[in-house]
Amino acid sequence: MTDLTTILAGVRFPNPVFTASGCAAAGQELDQFFDVTALGGVVTKSIMLEPRSGRATPRMAETPSGMLNSIGLQGPGIDVLLDKDLPWLAERGARAVVSIAGGSVADYANLASRLRDRPGLAMVEVNISCPNVEDRGQVFACDPQAASGVVSAVRRNTAPGIPVFAKLSPDVTDIALIARACVDAGADGLSVINTLLGMVIDTTTMRPALAGITGGLSGPAIRPVAVRCVWQVHQALPDVPILGMGGIRTGLDALQFLLAGASAVSVGTTVFGDPTAPVRVLAELEQALADRGVEHVRDVIGLAHGAAGHLVPEGPDPVGDEPAAAMEEP
Ligand code: SIN
């Protein structure tokens, strides 16, 4: 079988399948369905400094091949994560990727320093792209300078051996520009992508379906957008590791992200319908790689960017031998 080990900014993970932030709290709920240590990593729900109840309900709506959420960063606050969730993950032997979110650069810096030197912490994911904040000015990932300010503060306050990944938003004109700003500010890698800003109107009430009006769109509907973003970021910054996510439901979906340039993937929304999805995706990915004769997962990272000729059976020139004039016939 294929060697699934993947390395993200110098940290070795046994395989490239992680949970996605916000879809599995801190892993305890999923652990009743499968052993969370079987995954490459467990990415926790974005945590803020203080406990937070989030936005008003309703805050979830179904969409074609996806869902819209306006949770608004509900969570118990950093103290509970440090006292309860992180020790639980560490005792289990899971590799914890802690996602942090704040309303200011100082919040992020404070969160990073609270996490410093905590056992079990494998990586920090900086959520600068939550679409459900009341002030759109707080979507730091939509502006290169704002993104850079947060990332450099987190990097400064995080232990040197712990990678800092910035989570990017697809709701920008040039995602590579923001990616570069984050890397220049000290990000060791990038999480690509957060949800897309969307909206549903309930035609019975004739009002927005979500109390928060807009929400973040996730699920298979966004997969092509996510693959495109991973592709563009990898093309611009080929040496920067990417944790790819957005609508992954199967092992072949995960493979698309690796081929586009991700070194690992997060499985998110699909766990609401199938809590075992992360380990199923891992098994399917392993099989898909073996079927393709891949010896090491690193051999497929970004492979779709290269000359694909060797992957396709040799055949005649796609234009064929037909004279050009013949091709123009109706
Ligand atoms: C939320 O809690 O509103 C979702 C977080 C996110 O999408 O970053």
Side-chain angles (χ1 to χ4, degrees):
M1 292 297 266
T2 309
D3 179 351
L4 293 175
T5 313
T6 193
I7 295 179
L8 298 179
V11 174
R12 181 180 293 270
F13 294 88
N15 67 67
V17 178
F18 293 35
T19 58
S21 171
C23 300
Q28 287 99 326
E29 287 89 342
L30 286 188
D31 203 60
Q32 60 189 299
F33 299 100
F34 64 89
D35 175 5
V36 293
T37 65
L39 297 176
V42 175
V43 186
T44 59
K45 164 81 180 154
S46 297
I47 199 82
M48 301 190 80
L49 282 172
E50 302 297 334
R52 187 177 160 102
S53 54
R55 301 193 94 171
T57 57
R59 51 191 192 179
M60 281 166 100
E62 270 189 60
T63 62
S65 293
M67 64 171 248
L68 205 60
N69 90 78
S70 66
I71 303 302
L73 296 166
Q74 178 190 353
I78 188 72
D79 288 338
V80 172
L81 181 113
L82 295 178
D83 294 347
K84 183 173 144 272
D85 299 328
L86 199 50
W88 182 85
L89 287 164
E91 275 160 31
R92 297 284 281 114
R95 291 147 293 276
V97 179
V98 175
S99 172
I100 57 174
S104 65
V105 171
D107 283 358
Y108 284 95
N110 201 342
L111 285 159
S113 62
R114 299 288 311 277
L115 283 166
R116 203 176 169 105
D117 301 327
R118 295 287 174 161
L121 179 68
M123 201 162 111
V124 175
E125 185 175 81
V126 193
N127 184 356
I128 50 174
S129 48
C130 174
N132 299 324
V133 288
E134 266 132 55
D135 175 5
R136 290 295 295 165
Q138 279 183 3
V139 186
F140 300 95
C142 291
D143 175 76
Q145 268 185 326
S148 165
V150 172
V151 170
S152 70
V154 173
R155 186 57 277 175
R156 270 199 311 278
N157 286 280
T158 302
I162 301 293
V164 168
F165 273 48
K167 188 165 185 178
L168 304 185
S169 169
D171 291 335
V172 291
T173 308
D174 183 357
I175 194 166
L177 181 81
I178 310 285
R180 197 179 294 279
C182 291
V183 170
D184 289 348
D188 305 286
L190 300 159
S191 296
V192 182
I193 55 174
N194 208 320
T195 54
L196 285 86
L197 189 66
M199 186 172 174
V200 169
I201 293 180
D202 181 330
T203 49
T204 305
T205 63
M206 299 200 278
R207 293 288 181 274
L210 299 177
I213 301 179
T214 58
L217 180 65
S218 62
I222 74 164
R223 191 186 318 123
V225 176
V227 172
R228 179 269 296 175
C229 289
V230 170
W231 172 280
Q232 288 178 327
V233 171
H234 182 72
Q235 191 153 44
L237 301 163
D239 299 326
V240 175
I242 296 172
L243 178 59
M245 66 215 62
I248 295 175
R249 202 171 41 178
T250 69
L252 291 180
D253 297 342
L255 180 56
Q256 281 199 55
F257 281 77
L258 301 179
L259 292 167
S263 297
V265 296
S266 278
V267 176
T269 299
T270 196
V271 300
F272 295 121
D274 172 10
T276 65
V279 276
R280 178 181 50 72
V281 167
L282 175 59
E284 290 171 1
L285 176 63
E286 188 168 20
Q287 188 61 55
L289 292 168
D291 290 348
R292 286 157 181 75
V294 176
E295 281 177 20
H296 195 292
V297 73
R298 69 168 167 254
D299 297 338
V300 298
I301 296 169
L303 186 70
H305 291 257
H310 66 285
L311 294 175
V312 192
E314 297 243 325
D317 182 320
V319 176
D321 297 319
E322 299 292 314
M327 293 172 64
E328 286 164 17
E329 299 254 322

